[in-house]
PDB file of all heavy atoms in Angstrom:
ATOM      1  N   LYS A  33       8.887  -6.803  56.177  1.00  0.00           N
ATOM      2  CA  LYS A  33       9.185  -6.166  57.466  1.00  0.00           C
ATOM      3  C   LYS A  33      10.375  -5.164  57.340  1.00  0.00           C
ATOM      4  O   LYS A  33      10.341  -4.130  57.914  1.00  0.00           O
ATOM      5  CB  LYS A  33       9.587  -7.192  58.512  1.00  0.00           C
ATOM      6  CG  LYS A  33       8.415  -8.146  58.925  1.00  0.00           C
ATOM      7  CD  LYS A  33       8.837  -9.091  60.036  1.00  0.00           C
ATOM      8  CE  LYS A  33       7.681  -9.858  60.554  1.00  0.00           C
ATOM      9  NZ  LYS A  33       8.077 -10.771  61.735  1.00  0.00           N
ATOM     10  N   TYR A  34      11.329  -5.571  56.551  1.00  0.00           N
ATOM     11  CA  TYR A  34      12.543  -4.754  56.372  1.00  0.00           C
ATOM     12  C   TYR A  34      13.041  -4.854  54.905  1.00  0.00           C
ATOM     13  O   TYR A  34      12.764  -5.811  54.204  1.00  0.00           O
ATOM     14  CB  TYR A  34      13.708  -5.261  57.288  1.00  0.00           C
ATOM     15  CG  TYR A  34      13.442  -5.216  58.757  1.00  0.00           C
ATOM     16  CD1 TYR A  34      13.043  -6.311  59.468  1.00  0.00           C
ATOM     17  CD2 TYR A  34      13.546  -3.963  59.470  1.00  0.00           C
ATOM     18  CE1 TYR A  34      12.807  -6.267  60.812  1.00  0.00           C
ATOM     19  CE2 TYR A  34      13.272  -3.938  60.793  1.00  0.00           C
ATOM     20  CZ  TYR A  34      12.928  -5.090  61.481  1.00  0.00           C
ATOM     21  OH  TYR A  34      12.700  -5.004  62.839  1.00  0.00           O
ATOM     22  N   CYS A  35      13.783  -3.814  54.519  1.00  0.00           N
ATOM     23  CA  CYS A  35      14.494  -3.860  53.296  1.00  0.00           C
ATOM     24  C   CYS A  35      15.764  -2.979  53.441  1.00  0.00           C
ATOM     25  O   CYS A  35      15.624  -1.768  53.744  1.00  0.00           O
ATOM     26  CB  CYS A  35      13.707  -3.393  52.107  1.00  0.00           C
ATOM     27  SG  CYS A  35      14.510  -3.630  50.507  1.00  0.00           S
ATOM     28  N   GLY A  36      16.943  -3.522  53.196  1.00  0.00           N
ATOM     29  CA  GLY A  36      18.138  -2.778  53.311  1.00  0.00           C
ATOM     30  C   GLY A  36      18.180  -1.754  52.135  1.00  0.00           C
ATOM     31  O   GLY A  36      17.649  -1.993  51.046  1.00  0.00           O
ATOM     32  N   VAL A  37      18.813  -0.621  52.409  1.00  0.00           N
ATOM     33  CA  VAL A  37      18.944   0.440  51.417  1.00  0.00           C
ATOM     34  C   VAL A  37      20.390   0.446  50.884  1.00  0.00           C
ATOM     35  O   VAL A  37      21.329   0.752  51.666  1.00  0.00           O
ATOM     36  CB  VAL A  37      18.552   1.812  51.958  1.00  0.00           C
ATOM     37  CG1 VAL A  37      18.608   2.910  50.878  1.00  0.00           C
ATOM     38  CG2 VAL A  37      17.165   1.754  52.596  1.00  0.00           C
ATOM     39  N   CYS A  38      20.565   0.121  49.671  1.00  0.00           N
ATOM     40  CA  CYS A  38      21.917  -0.113  49.096  1.00  0.00           C
ATOM     41  C   CYS A  38      22.382   1.093  48.268  1.00  0.00           C
ATOM     42  O   CYS A  38      21.539   1.700  47.569  1.00  0.00           O
ATOM     43  CB  CYS A  38      21.901  -1.384  48.267  1.00  0.00           C
ATOM     44  SG  CYS A  38      23.492  -1.758  47.471  1.00  0.00           S
ATOM     45  N   HIS A  39      23.694   1.383  48.287  1.00  0.00           N
ATOM     46  CA  HIS A  39      24.192   2.527  47.546  1.00  0.00           C
ATOM     47  C   HIS A  39      23.949   2.412  46.052  1.00  0.00           C
ATOM     48  O   HIS A  39      23.740   3.389  45.322  1.00  0.00           O
ATOM     49  CB  HIS A  39      25.703   2.594  47.818  1.00  0.00           C
ATOM     50  CG  HIS A  39      26.306   3.913  47.316  1.00  0.00           C
ATOM     51  ND1 HIS A  39      26.638   4.122  45.991  1.00  0.00           N
ATOM     52  CD2 HIS A  39      26.628   5.025  47.980  1.00  0.00           C
ATOM     53  CE1 HIS A  39      27.133   5.315  45.862  1.00  0.00           C
ATOM     54  NE2 HIS A  39      27.174   5.925  47.064  1.00  0.00           N
ATOM     55  N   SER A  40      23.935   1.151  45.505  1.00  0.00           N
ATOM     56  CA  SER A  40      23.666   0.991  44.076  1.00  0.00           C
ATOM     57  C   SER A  40      22.334   1.521  43.669  1.00  0.00           C
ATOM     58  O   SER A  40      22.098   1.905  42.483  1.00  0.00           O
ATOM     59  CB  SER A  40      23.853  -0.457  43.674  1.00  0.00           C
ATOM     60  OG  SER A  40      22.869  -1.321  44.314  1.00  0.00           O
ATOM     61  N   ASP A  41      21.337   1.533  44.611  1.00  0.00           N
ATOM     62  CA  ASP A  41      20.063   2.085  44.274  1.00  0.00           C
ATOM     63  C   ASP A  41      20.091   3.608  44.017  1.00  0.00           C
ATOM     64  O   ASP A  41      19.239   4.106  43.313  1.00  0.00           O
ATOM     65  CB  ASP A  41      19.036   1.793  45.384  1.00  0.00           C
ATOM     66  CG  ASP A  41      18.442   0.388  45.263  1.00  0.00           C
ATOM     67  OD1 ASP A  41      18.624  -0.246  44.253  1.00  0.00           O
ATOM     68  OD2 ASP A  41      17.827  -0.105  46.268  1.00  0.00           O
ATOM     69  N   ALA A  42      21.122   4.256  44.596  1.00  0.00           N
ATOM     70  CA  ALA A  42      21.239   5.697  44.304  1.00  0.00           C
ATOM     71  C   ALA A  42      21.645   5.897  42.824  1.00  0.00           C
ATOM     72  O   ALA A  42      21.218   6.800  42.190  1.00  0.00           O
ATOM     73  CB  ALA A  42      22.318   6.308  45.213  1.00  0.00           C
ATOM     74  N   HIS A  43      22.531   4.969  42.321  1.00  0.00           N
ATOM     75  CA  HIS A  43      22.918   5.001  40.933  1.00  0.00           C
ATOM     76  C   HIS A  43      21.694   4.655  40.044  1.00  0.00           C
ATOM     77  O   HIS A  43      21.455   5.319  39.006  1.00  0.00           O
ATOM     78  CB  HIS A  43      24.025   4.057  40.635  1.00  0.00           C
ATOM     79  CG  HIS A  43      25.330   4.352  41.336  1.00  0.00           C
ATOM     80  ND1 HIS A  43      26.028   5.448  41.041  1.00  0.00           N
ATOM     81  CD2 HIS A  43      25.982   3.704  42.291  1.00  0.00           C
ATOM     82  CE1 HIS A  43      27.180   5.521  41.807  1.00  0.00           C
ATOM     83  NE2 HIS A  43      27.120   4.410  42.565  1.00  0.00           N
ATOM     84  N   ILE A  44      20.955   3.619  40.427  1.00  0.00           N
ATOM     85  CA  ILE A  44      19.817   3.165  39.630  1.00  0.00           C
ATOM     86  C   ILE A  44      18.775   4.299  39.595  1.00  0.00           C
ATOM     87  O   ILE A  44      18.172   4.539  38.565  1.00  0.00           O
ATOM     88  CB  ILE A  44      19.205   1.894  40.195  1.00  0.00           C
ATOM     89  CG1 ILE A  44      20.222   0.762  40.097  1.00  0.00           C
ATOM     90  CG2 ILE A  44      17.938   1.499  39.463  1.00  0.00           C
ATOM     91  CD1 ILE A  44      19.832  -0.501  40.821  1.00  0.00           C
ATOM     92  N   ARG A  45      18.546   4.969  40.707  1.00  0.00           N
ATOM     93  CA  ARG A  45      17.605   6.066  40.702  1.00  0.00           C
ATOM     94  C   ARG A  45      17.969   7.173  39.766  1.00  0.00           C
ATOM     95  O   ARG A  45      17.139   7.822  39.131  1.00  0.00           O
ATOM     96  CB  ARG A  45      17.456   6.614  42.182  1.00  0.00           C
ATOM     97  CG  ARG A  45      16.421   7.732  42.296  1.00  0.00           C
ATOM     98  CD  ARG A  45      16.384   8.328  43.696  1.00  0.00           C
ATOM     99  NE  ARG A  45      17.668   8.920  44.071  1.00  0.00           N
ATOM    100  CZ  ARG A  45      17.878   9.649  45.146  1.00  0.00           C
ATOM    101  NH1 ARG A  45      16.861   9.885  45.980  1.00  0.00           N
ATOM    102  NH2 ARG A  45      19.034  10.187  45.445  1.00  0.00           N
ATOM    103  N   ASP A  46      19.312   7.386  39.625  1.00  0.00           N
ATOM    104  CA  ASP A  46      19.825   8.399  38.696  1.00  0.00           C
ATOM    105  C   ASP A  46      19.582   7.983  37.258  1.00  0.00           C
ATOM    106  O   ASP A  46      19.577   8.806  36.350  1.00  0.00           O
ATOM    107  CB  ASP A  46      21.344   8.617  38.843  1.00  0.00           C
ATOM    108  CG  ASP A  46      21.617   9.428  40.123  1.00  0.00           C
ATOM    109  OD1 ASP A  46      20.719  10.088  40.653  1.00  0.00           O
ATOM    110  OD2 ASP A  46      22.756   9.433  40.604  1.00  0.00           O
ATOM    111  N   GLY A  47      19.391   6.660  37.028  1.00  0.00           N
ATOM    112  CA  GLY A  47      19.035   6.241  35.686  1.00  0.00           C
ATOM    113  C   GLY A  47      20.169   5.631  34.872  1.00  0.00           C
ATOM    114  O   GLY A  47      19.956   5.236  33.702  1.00  0.00           O
ATOM    115  N   TYR A  48      21.369   5.575  35.449  1.00  0.00           N
ATOM    116  CA  TYR A  48      22.472   5.021  34.674  1.00  0.00           C
ATOM    117  C   TYR A  48      23.663   4.640  35.543  1.00  0.00           C
ATOM    118  O   TYR A  48      23.776   5.086  36.708  1.00  0.00           O
ATOM    119  CB  TYR A  48      23.009   6.072  33.661  1.00  0.00           C
ATOM    120  CG  TYR A  48      23.576   7.340  34.280  1.00  0.00           C
ATOM    121  CD1 TYR A  48      24.945   7.382  34.553  1.00  0.00           C
ATOM    122  CD2 TYR A  48      22.785   8.376  34.627  1.00  0.00           C
ATOM    123  CE1 TYR A  48      25.514   8.535  35.173  1.00  0.00           C
ATOM    124  CE2 TYR A  48      23.314   9.515  35.242  1.00  0.00           C
ATOM    125  CZ  TYR A  48      24.669   9.589  35.487  1.00  0.00           C
ATOM    126  OH  TYR A  48      25.197  10.684  36.087  1.00  0.00           O
ATOM    127  N   PHE A  49      24.568   3.786  35.027  1.00  0.00           N
ATOM    128  CA  PHE A  49      25.861   3.509  35.584  1.00  0.00           C
ATOM    129  C   PHE A  49      26.924   4.148  34.723  1.00  0.00           C
ATOM    130  O   PHE A  49      26.777   4.117  33.441  1.00  0.00           O
ATOM    131  CB  PHE A  49      26.130   2.009  35.710  1.00  0.00           C
ATOM    132  CG  PHE A  49      25.320   1.316  36.778  1.00  0.00           C
ATOM    133  CD1 PHE A  49      24.601   0.190  36.451  1.00  0.00           C
ATOM    134  CD2 PHE A  49      25.332   1.798  38.064  1.00  0.00           C
ATOM    135  CE1 PHE A  49      23.844  -0.479  37.419  1.00  0.00           C
ATOM    136  CE2 PHE A  49      24.533   1.126  39.050  1.00  0.00           C
ATOM    137  CZ  PHE A  49      23.823  -0.003  38.716  1.00  0.00           C
ATOM    138  N   ASP A  50      27.943   4.733  35.268  1.00  0.00           N
ATOM    139  CA  ASP A  50      29.076   5.312  34.545  1.00  0.00           C
ATOM    140  C   ASP A  50      29.999   4.223  34.111  1.00  0.00           C
ATOM    141  O   ASP A  50      30.663   3.566  34.940  1.00  0.00           O
ATOM    142  CB  ASP A  50      29.779   6.355  35.411  1.00  0.00           C
ATOM    143  CG  ASP A  50      30.945   7.044  34.747  1.00  0.00           C
ATOM    144  OD1 ASP A  50      31.203   6.704  33.563  1.00  0.00           O
ATOM    145  OD2 ASP A  50      31.557   7.883  35.334  1.00  0.00           O
ATOM    146  N   LEU A  51      30.145   3.987  32.788  1.00  0.00           N
ATOM    147  CA  LEU A  51      31.021   2.946  32.261  1.00  0.00           C
ATOM    148  C   LEU A  51      32.414   3.486  31.936  1.00  0.00           C
ATOM    149  O   LEU A  51      33.328   2.734  31.570  1.00  0.00           O
ATOM    150  CB  LEU A  51      30.426   2.317  31.014  1.00  0.00           C
ATOM    151  CG  LEU A  51      29.092   1.622  31.231  1.00  0.00           C
ATOM    152  CD1 LEU A  51      28.604   1.031  29.859  1.00  0.00           C
ATOM    153  CD2 LEU A  51      29.169   0.557  32.312  1.00  0.00           C
ATOM    154  N   GLY A  52      32.631   4.795  32.110  1.00  0.00           N
ATOM    155  CA  GLY A  52      33.945   5.393  31.816  1.00  0.00           C
ATOM    156  C   GLY A  52      33.976   5.781  30.328  1.00  0.00           C
ATOM    157  O   GLY A  52      33.215   5.304  29.514  1.00  0.00           O
ATOM    158  N   GLY A  53      34.922   6.695  29.992  1.00  0.00           N
ATOM    159  CA  GLY A  53      35.103   7.148  28.620  1.00  0.00           C
ATOM    160  C   GLY A  53      33.925   7.850  28.039  1.00  0.00           C
ATOM    161  O   GLY A  53      33.683   7.835  26.818  1.00  0.00           O
ATOM    162  N   GLY A  54      33.063   8.464  28.923  1.00  0.00           N
ATOM    163  CA  GLY A  54      31.918   9.131  28.489  1.00  0.00           C
ATOM    164  C   GLY A  54      30.737   8.201  28.160  1.00  0.00           C
ATOM    165  O   GLY A  54      29.677   8.689  27.727  1.00  0.00           O
ATOM    166  N   LYS A  55      30.913   6.932  28.437  1.00  0.00           N
ATOM    167  CA  LYS A  55      29.795   5.943  28.144  1.00  0.00           C
ATOM    168  C   LYS A  55      28.999   5.705  29.379  1.00  0.00           C
ATOM    169  O   LYS A  55      29.511   5.661  30.501  1.00  0.00           O
ATOM    170  CB  LYS A  55      30.409   4.624  27.591  1.00  0.00           C
ATOM    171  CG  LYS A  55      31.213   4.786  26.303  1.00  0.00           C
ATOM    172  CD  LYS A  55      31.678   3.416  25.796  1.00  0.00           C
ATOM    173  CE  LYS A  55      32.772   2.862  26.677  1.00  0.00           C
ATOM    174  NZ  LYS A  55      34.015   3.638  26.637  1.00  0.00           N
ATOM    175  N   ARG A  56      27.687   5.458  29.187  1.00  0.00           N
ATOM    176  CA  ARG A  56      26.779   5.151  30.323  1.00  0.00           C
ATOM    177  C   ARG A  56      25.950   3.903  29.930  1.00  0.00           C
ATOM    178  O   ARG A  56      25.617   3.705  28.791  1.00  0.00           O
ATOM    179  CB  ARG A  56      25.856   6.331  30.542  1.00  0.00           C
ATOM    180  CG  ARG A  56      26.521   7.549  31.146  1.00  0.00           C
ATOM    181  CD  ARG A  56      25.505   8.689  31.382  1.00  0.00           C
ATOM    182  NE  ARG A  56      26.080   9.783  32.085  1.00  0.00           N
ATOM    183  CZ  ARG A  56      25.435  10.917  32.431  1.00  0.00           C
ATOM    184  NH1 ARG A  56      24.153  11.000  32.043  1.00  0.00           N
ATOM    185  NH2 ARG A  56      26.029  11.875  33.099  1.00  0.00           N
ATOM    186  N   LEU A  57      25.699   3.127  31.007  1.00  0.00           N
ATOM    187  CA  LEU A  57      24.724   2.057  30.878  1.00  0.00           C
ATOM    188  C   LEU A  57      23.394   2.549  31.424  1.00  0.00           C
ATOM    189  O   LEU A  57      23.254   2.701  32.635  1.00  0.00           O
ATOM    190  CB  LEU A  57      25.175   0.790  31.624  1.00  0.00           C
ATOM    191  CG  LEU A  57      24.142  -0.329  31.693  1.00  0.00           C
ATOM    192  CD1 LEU A  57      23.851  -0.908  30.293  1.00  0.00           C
ATOM    193  CD2 LEU A  57      24.666  -1.459  32.602  1.00  0.00           C
ATOM    194  N   HIS A  58      22.471   2.874  30.584  1.00  0.00           N
ATOM    195  CA  HIS A  58      21.178   3.412  31.009  1.00  0.00           C
ATOM    196  C   HIS A  58      20.308   2.259  31.545  1.00  0.00           C
ATOM    197  O   HIS A  58      20.330   1.083  31.042  1.00  0.00           O
ATOM    198  CB  HIS A  58      20.517   4.154  29.927  1.00  0.00           C
ATOM    199  CG  HIS A  58      21.219   5.396  29.504  1.00  0.00           C
ATOM    200  ND1 HIS A  58      21.064   6.575  30.207  1.00  0.00           N
ATOM    201  CD2 HIS A  58      22.143   5.601  28.544  1.00  0.00           C
ATOM    202  CE1 HIS A  58      21.835   7.515  29.602  1.00  0.00           C
ATOM    203  NE2 HIS A  58      22.520   6.925  28.636  1.00  0.00           N
TER     204      HIS A  58
END
Side-chain angles (χ1 to χ4, degrees):
K33 293 184 173 182
Y34 297 101
C35 186
V37 184
C38 181
H39 192 281
S40 63
D41 278 346
H43 296 294
I44 297 171
R45 184 184 61 171
D46 285 342
Y48 65 91
F49 289 129
D50 180 0
L51 299 180
K55 299 184 290 294
R56 291 179 172 180
L57 173 63
H58 293 277

